[in-house]
Amino acid sequence: LWEVREIKKIFSWKSFKNDIAELGFSFSLKNFLISVLAMFTFIILTALLYKVEVVYLVILMVLGILLTPSIIKSRFISKYEEKRFMDICSYMEQVCSSFLKQSKILPALKDARLILDGKLGRLVDESTRYIEKGISNEDNIYTESLDIIEKDYSCKRLNSLHKFLVKIELSGGSYYNSMDILLQDLHSWTERT
């Protein structure tokens, strides 16, 4: 029974459309049919070029129909992940730049919010409100507020940056050289990735 439901879900247009909508995109039936038509055209032209027998052509077309939804979905997942990556890179660069000027986490978060939208923007808003309310469940309100962002956008560079910012916010000290190194590393990482 479970397998039947899963198979129906795989071939359900509504489920397919919802999966793409959860990533923040929309995809119409018209676009899907155009993709299938393009795939059929490609298969037929390739089959004619390589003189593939009709039986194998039919097999390729059936496989094409079965794989087209997952190919389309993977394309949207790739776009979604690329946007998340660019958002978190922009966030880290802006936070570093703002922190260099003011040496405070709250103004750095507010500055970063000006360039962000979507989910990360909402998380930065939530983190900012957490600091502004001043209610801490543990010892460190800054760590708790930055954990809000780290839960959804966790990566080693972000975690290290946040720990560094909290340490400077609480202890002070000379940090300009270290922050410059962090910014250079962030730029290199963004370009490499």
Side-chain angles (χ1 to χ4, degrees), residues 5-176:
R5 274 189 262 147
E6 286 299 314
I7 291 172
K8 283 183 181 180
K9 184 179 177 187
I10 291 171
F11 293 107
S12 164
W13 171 253
K14 185 177 179 181
S15 174
F16 175 77
K17 198 171 177 179
N18 287 341
D19 289 346
I20 291 174
E22 285 176 9
L23 298 172
F25 301 99
S26 64
F27 194 72
S28 68
L29 183 59
K30 178 183 172 184
N31 291 342
F32 181 78
L33 293 175
I34 289 170
S35 298
V36 170
L37 183 63
M39 182 262 317
F40 277 159
T41 304
F42 176 75
I43 289 174
I44 290 170
L45 290 175
T46 305
L48 290 174
L49 181 67
Y50 290 103
K51 298 177 184 167
V52 175
E53 293 180 26
V54 176
V55 174
Y56 299 115
L57 175 63
V58 171
I59 291 171
L60 286 172
M61 293 178 120
V62 169
L63 285 174
I65 289 173
L66 294 175
L67 294 177
T68 297
S70 63
I71 292 169
I72 292 170
K73 227 185 264 189
S74 67
R75 191 175 78 212
F76 283 111
I77 289 170
S78 176
K79 285 181 183 180
Y80 172 77
E81 292 299 334
E82 183 179 347
K83 181 172 178 4
R84 280 175 48 91
F85 176 76
M86 295 311 297
D87 285 348
I88 201 64
C89 288
S90 298
Y91 163 80
M92 289 190 289
E93 284 182 32
Q94 185 61 46
V95 165
C96 287
S97 298
S98 297
F99 195 84
L100 276 170
K101 294 175 192 169
Q102 301 175 14
S103 303
K104 296 289 180 188
I105 292 174
L106 186 58
L109 286 173
K110 287 181 179 182
D111 285 349
R113 178 58 179 106
L114 297 175
I115 64 164
L116 299 171
D117 60 353
K119 185 176 186 176
L120 184 55
R122 290 188 298 275
L123 291 173
V124 171
D125 284 340
E126 189 178 334
S127 181
T128 302
R129 281 192 301 273
Y130 195 92
I131 294 171
E132 289 173 337
K133 287 183 180 178
I135 302 169
S136 176
N137 297 328
E138 297 176 11
D139 298 343
N140 191 334
I141 193 166
Y142 297 112
T143 302
E144 291 175 30
S145 70
L146 295 173
D147 281 346
I148 293 168
I149 298 167
E150 290 177 12
K151 283 179 188 172
D152 284 357
Y153 286 86
S154 186
C155 71
K156 289 181 182 179
R157 280 183 171 71
L158 178 65
N159 298 345
S160 298
L161 173 64
H162 283 169
K163 285 178 186 173
F164 181 70
L165 296 176
V166 169
K167 183 178 177 185
I168 298 303
E169 176 87 21
L170 298 176
S171 305
S174 178
Y175 62 90
Y176 296 103

Side-chain angles (χ1 to χ4, degrees), residues 171-184:
S171 305
S174 178
Y175 62 90
Y176 296 103
N177 290 337
S178 300
M179 189 63 79
D180 284 337
I181 292 170
L182 272 172
L183 270 170
Q184 289 173 4

